[in-house]
Amino acid sequence: MRVLLVEDEEKLAALVAQGLTERGDVVGVVGTGTQALSSARGGEYDVILLDVMLPDLDGFSVCQRLRAERVWTPVLMLTARTAVADRIAGLDSGADDYLAKPFAFQELLARMRALARRGPVPRPTELEVGDLRLDPSARRVWRGSTELSLSTREFTLLESLMRRPDQVLTREQLLGLAWGDNSGVASNVVDVYVRYLRAKIDRPFSVDTPQTVRGVGYRLTADSS
Ligand code: CA
């Protein structure tokens, strides 16, 4: 397979590249985030092995930028950091998996193979429906270029709708998604919160996006007419 190895520690890079080349893989090696971006944009790699600590951009930023540009090549983060927060940052930035250094070469191979088998999976780090944009990890929402301020519950309800654009969701489904299955909350609370949402995400912009489907529930569409 074709592997892009992004690693600034030359000894480690040489060792991994040699191991992969001996197996018959085609390996490109770069040592900075900037080089990683330009090589990965070509998109002809089956997997990217991406170190977190690089001399310029860090691996999280590289991954985030690639995903923002809709480059979906599987990314395996190589990290000396093992803190939970860093692993979450890696996955939130759009990486597919991570491996803590020092790692066993056999484990690297196994994880690489698993990712390459899966192939490029579009996994936007931000949700978009029309000009509504939501970043689940940063918990921010925009309509066009205007950032919106939502309460926690409003945000969760909107995220539930945006993850299922154009689908009709019943009040019960929305209740389960945004409040939890055993919340004991009455389903008309959903109506109340959809009203709150409309007041924030639609009315100031003269659009009507969470549409009422009479007798059933709600549907979020890009079409605002
Ligand atoms: Ca490094």
Side-chain angles (χ1 to χ4, degrees), residues 119-130:
V121 183
R123 260 195 340 161
T125 53
E126 290 186 350
L127 306 173
E128 280 186 49
V129 178

Side-chain angles (χ1 to χ4, degrees), residues 15-93:
L15 205 66
V16 172
Q18 188 193 349
L20 294 176
T21 307
E22 281 170 4
R23 277 172 16 106
D25 293 323
V26 177
V27 188
V29 184
V30 295
T32 68
T34 313
Q35 291 171 322
L37 284 173
S38 61
S39 298
R41 279 175 185 136
E44 74 270 40
Y45 291 100
D46 299 302
V47 64
I48 299 171
L49 307 179
L50 180 58
D51 186 30
V52 172
M53 301 295 281
L54 295 166
D56 50 351
L57 299 167
D58 66 23
F60 303 132
S61 315
V62 171
C63 192
Q64 214 155 23
R65 286 202 199 177
L66 289 175
R67 296 321 190 212
E69 294 172 20
R70 300 176 190 278
V71 175
W72 306 119
T73 311
V75 169
L76 175 58
M77 291 276 214
L78 306 177
T79 172
R81 308 169 168 197
T82 50
V84 173
D86 286 326
R87 277 182 270 156
I88 292 171
L91 296 174
D92 273 344
S93 73

Side-chain angles (χ1 to χ4, degrees), residues 2-17:
R2 294 181 57 93
V3 182
L4 176 62
L5 172 61
V6 186
E7 173 60 77
D8 61 319
E9 288 163 52
E10 286 178 16
K11 272 188 187 164
L12 180 60
L15 205 66
V16 172

